[in-house]
Amino acid sequence: MKKRIHKILIVLGVLLAVYQLLSWFHIFRLYQSSSFANEPTLPFNSRFFASNVIVPEIADFVCYKFEDEQFGKQIRVHRLIGQEGDVVQIKDGNAYVNNKNIDMLLNLWHYYKLTKQEFDAITFSDAAIEYARLKDGFIYIPMTKVKARKHGLEEKRVIIEPTQVEPYIYEVFHKSWNKDHFGPITVPKGKVFVLGDNRDNSHDSRYVGFINASDITGVLITN
């Protein structure tokens, strides 16, 4: 019995050592979603594996190194929207890459403007309730287009007017753009453009600029 336990411990130790080695080189590593930026696809605090041996493609989730004054060095995860040479544009809240609407196949979160009666008729997740806000007698809350279509609320989606300029975006790109009307812009050499699935609540390339392609540490394997 003791010999069997000893062998099991040895095997577990070897497996742990192998995982640590793979994780160290980002070949196979466990990450945790530390924000609501990719709701509902990657819920807050959810865990997933990523690998740097996978070549990233448009619409893949990528993990990348990021640093700012507020949080310092960190690993972020967002959806890859554009790579070097791609033309990125957001029109009426939909992302286009080289004139192709890539949001059509994605189940993203957007804000919808609901009456109390409409709100009471729907069951929302705790995460969605967290982001709900009341303004002028209406409830603004994020939901997927699938849920909005199910309840006949597609026309209730909140989209900023093209003339409304977002200061943070202007500060980065020096263009009169906003989160729903952005670009067109060509991704520079050695850079990528990323967006979060929680499009109205994501601190992504619209607000921080392009990301170095060399800073990508892995591509999502599971979620």
Side-chain angles (χ1 to χ4, degrees):
M1 185 67 179
K2 289 183 178 180
K3 289 184 178 180
R4 178 179 294 180
I5 294 175
H6 182 66
K7 289 180 180 180
I8 292 175
L9 291 176
I10 291 176
V11 171
L12 291 176
V14 171
L15 291 175
L16 179 60
V18 170
Y19 171 74
Q20 291 291 349
L21 184 63
L22 294 175
S23 179
W24 178 266
F25 290 102
H26 297 277
I27 297 173
F28 185 73
R29 187 168 184 172
L30 181 66
Y31 291 90
Q32 182 173 358
S33 178
S34 58
S35 75
F36 291 93
N38 295 298
E39 293 276 357
T41 318
L42 296 180
F44 176 65
N45 275 338
S46 61
R47 296 176 181 271
F48 53 89
F49 287 102
S51 173
N52 64 359
V53 299
I54 301 174
V55 178
E57 298 180 354
I58 299 300
D60 282 342
F61 277 110
V62 294
C63 303
Y64 61 93
K65 293 181 287 187
F66 185 81
E67 183 175 2
D68 61 14
E69 294 182 358
Q70 184 176 3
F71 298 105
K73 294 181 179 180
Q74 57 196 283
I75 296 292
R76 286 189 170 185
V77 57
H78 282 112
R79 197 180 288 275
L80 179 64
I81 300 299
Q83 302 187 82
E84 179 180 320
D86 286 332
V87 178
V88 175
Q89 185 174 13
I90 301 175
K91 296 184 291 185
D92 293 322
N94 296 308
Y96 292 78
V97 180
N98 303 323
N99 293 318
K100 180 180 179 181
N101 186 340
I102 66 168
D103 283 357
M104 291 181 64
L105 300 178
L106 303 177
N107 199 27
L108 308 171
W109 251 12
H110 295 287
Y111 266 115
Y112 290 81
K113 179 182 177 181
L114 309 181
T115 63
K116 186 178 185 305
Q117 183 179 2
E118 291 168 337
F119 174 80
D120 290 340
I122 305 174
T123 301
F124 291 97
S125 67
D126 291 340
I129 297 295
E130 184 77 18
Y131 274 99
R133 62 178 189 263
L134 184 65
K135 181 180 179 182
D136 300 327
F138 291 93
I139 299 170
Y140 292 76
I141 190 166
M143 74 172 93
T144 65
K145 60 184 178 183
V146 172
K147 176 172 283 192
R149 187 182 304 119
K150 177 182 177 181
H151 294 277
L153 299 172
E154 291 178 280
E155 299 301 318
K156 298 283 188 173
R157 181 179 162 188
V158 179
I159 298 177
I160 295 179
E161 292 294 328
T163 54
Q164 184 174 335
V165 180
E166 288 195 69
Y168 290 110
I169 292 178
Y170 185 86
E171 183 178 338
V172 174
F173 292 97
H174 307 292
K175 298 287 185 179
S176 299
W177 299 338
N178 60 52
K179 67 179 180 62
D180 293 324
H181 297 90
F182 183 100
I185 189 169
T186 302
V187 180
K189 183 177 181 180
K191 303 289 186 177
V192 297
F193 188 92
V194 297
L195 292 174
D197 277 15
N198 185 358
R199 288 291 167 81
D200 295 334
N201 294 289
S202 177
H203 193 235
D204 48 40
S205 284
R206 292 171 294 183
Y207 301 100
V208 303
F210 298 105
I211 305 300
N212 294 325
S214 59
D215 286 336
I216 293 177
T217 61
V219 178
L220 189 80
I221 299 173
T222 61
N223 65 286

